[in-house]
Amino acid sequence: MDTAALNRLLTALSAMRDGNFRKRLTVSGDGTMAEIAAVFNEVADRNQQLTGEISRVRRVVGREGKLTERLETGPCEGSWAAAIDATNALVDDLVRPVSEVGRVLSAVSEGDLEQRMDLRSQNPDGAAHPLRGEFLKVGRTVNGLVDQLSAFTDEVTRVASEVGTEGKLGGQAKVRGMSGSWKDLTDSVNTMAYRLTAQVRDIALVTTAVAKGDLSRKVTVHVAGEMLELKNTVNTMVDQLSSFSSEVTRVAREVGTEGELGGQAQVPGVAGVWKDLTDSVNLMAGNLTAQVRGIAQVTTAVANGDLSQKVTVSARGEVAQLAETINTMTETLRTFAGR
């Protein structure tokens, strides 16, 4: 056998052993060495094709994110085909959990909290086997995340519905196992519900007291923003009602009980209906004062023997009847006295 040809073969085999699949042998003539050179070149071609396919799929799947790309089998058989199938199966096993994670997280981003990651991996032949190791850990983590989001959403929705829609104050979200930001969010929702409950109940307590005639209460709960405006409005209303009530009571007592005519209710800062009510009370007191004083003037004159006076004050109803009766009486007395 040609020593030079053997040396060339040894050199090429050493290069292949070291991972250099670009080395080729020159095929010339006939005989065993020519066949060996041809077979060597075919082996090198297949190795180079396999490594090229692996590099291509690694780039397309790993860097470009095209998870459906696989190695092309080509004219391979035996262990060559088995190696390609094994590599494709490896890519499948790696891609499936990633795809599942993407599917579940996409559903979560769209507000669908019903999806869960399948903790089993489906083989191309349809057979399923459970995830293990890091894949199982990732699957449980993703499903745990969705479970916590679902529990948090359910509780927040429940509290919002009870407090905001049904008016059932005092509701609190209860989510077990929460920590970190989830616990902070839950605590924030509960704090909001608690403060809203305290604010509304305090305002309701005061307005209920007002409805029952108790004007001694004020809204004292700590609030801010629009709730502060509402608090101040309610307290101002109570102050005005209290002032109005006090003044009306004073005028009624002075005029109706103590007989001190001429009293007028003084309620500063009132407007609208409150001013109308105050004006009506003052008008009533003023009219009553004028009527009583007019009647008193005439009756005093009659008592002093002066029958020339008449009740001229404007009046209606029973007061008008009384004025007419007094005037009739005075006229009768004057007629009698003139005889």
Side-chain angles (χ1 to χ4, degrees):
M1 186 171 291
D2 188 354
T3 302
L6 289 175
N7 287 334
R8 288 194 296 272
L9 175 60
L10 178 60
T11 300
L13 287 172
S14 296
M16 182 178 290
R17 177 200 63 194
D18 296 336
N20 180 6
F21 302 139
R22 292 186 300 275
K23 191 71 173 177
R24 297 292 186 273
L25 293 175
T26 301
V27 180
S28 60
D30 297 325
T32 303
M33 282 305 299
E35 294 178 4
I36 291 174
V39 171
F40 174 85
N41 290 342
E42 290 178 1
V43 172
D45 288 340
R46 292 186 180 181
N47 272 320
Q48 190 170 18
Q49 181 186 7
L50 178 60
T51 55
E53 276 295 287
I54 292 175
S55 297
R56 182 185 64 82
V57 171
R58 181 251 183 181
R59 184 189 70 255
V60 173
V61 174
R63 294 184 179 179
E64 299 177 11
K66 298 178 181 179
L67 303 185
T68 58
E69 192 69 21
R70 296 296 182 271
L71 278 74
E72 295 181 1
T73 304
C76 294
E77 58 185 15
S79 295
W80 294 110
I84 292 177
D85 291 342
T87 304
N88 285 338
L90 173 62
V91 176
D92 287 337
D93 290 338
L94 291 172
V95 164
R96 285 194 195 95
V98 175
S99 297
E100 273 292 284
V101 170
R103 179 184 66 82
V104 174
L105 294 183
S106 294
V108 171
S109 69
E110 295 173 359
D112 179 5
L113 300 180
E114 299 296 325
Q115 302 299 319
R116 295 295 184 275
M117 185 172 169
D118 191 354
L119 299 182
R120 299 174 304 167
S121 179
Q122 296 287 337
N123 291 334
D125 59 4
H129 61 84
L131 296 179
R132 296 179 181 177
E134 293 296 323
F135 290 147
L136 180 59
K137 182 179 179 180
V138 169
R140 287 175 174 172
T141 300
V142 170
N143 288 346
L145 167 67
V146 180
D147 288 340
Q148 286 187 330
L149 280 174
S150 181
F152 174 77
T153 302
D154 290 344
E155 279 296 287
V156 170
T157 301
R158 179 184 64 81
V159 171
S161 177
E162 289 181 357
V163 176
T165 304
E166 301 173 13
K168 298 178 180 178
L169 302 181
Q172 292 282 279
K174 298 178 182 179
V175 187
R176 295 180 179 179
M178 286 291 183
S179 60
S181 295
W182 300 124
K183 186 177 184 301
D184 293 342
L185 283 171
T186 304
D187 291 344
S188 296
V189 170
N190 286 338
T191 299
M192 178 191 68
Y194 171 78
R195 289 181 178 174
L196 182 61
T197 295
Q199 293 163 4
V200 172
R201 282 179 174 171
D202 197 28
I203 293 173
L205 182 66
V206 173
T207 52
T208 300
V210 170
K212 294 180 178 180
D214 181 3
L215 301 178
S216 64
R217 294 183 177 274
K218 289 284 189 73
V219 180
T220 57
V221 66
H222 178 72
V223 292
E226 292 189 44
M227 290 300 293
L228 177 59
E229 294 179 7
L230 177 59
K231 171 185 174 180
N232 292 337
T233 300
V234 171
N235 287 342
T236 299
M237 178 191 72
V238 175
D239 287 338
Q240 288 183 335
L241 283 173
S242 180
S243 177
F244 173 78
S245 176
S246 297
E247 281 295 288
V248 169
T249 300
R250 179 184 64 80
V251 170
R253 183 183 68 251
E254 290 178 356
V255 175
T257 303
E258 299 173 4
E260 298 180 7
L261 302 180
Q264 290 283 280
Q266 304 293 329
V267 187
V270 294
V273 174
W274 302 125
K275 185 176 185 303
D276 294 342
L277 285 172
T278 303
D279 292 344
S280 295
V281 169
N282 288 337
L283 179 62
M284 176 192 70
N287 287 340
L288 182 61
T289 295
Q291 293 164 1
V292 171
R293 284 178 176 173
I295 292 172
Q297 182 180 0
V298 172
T299 54
T300 299
V302 171
N304 293 329
D306 181 3
L307 302 178
S308 64
Q309 303 287 330
K310 280 195 175 184
V311 180
T312 58
V313 68
S314 174
R316 294 180 180 180
E318 292 188 43
V319 175
Q321 293 177 6
L322 176 59
E324 185 179 351
T325 299
I326 291 174
N327 288 338
T328 301
M329 178 192 72
T330 302
E331 183 67 27
T332 301
L333 287 173
R334 186 169 59 250
T335 301
F336 177 76
R339 289 181 179 182

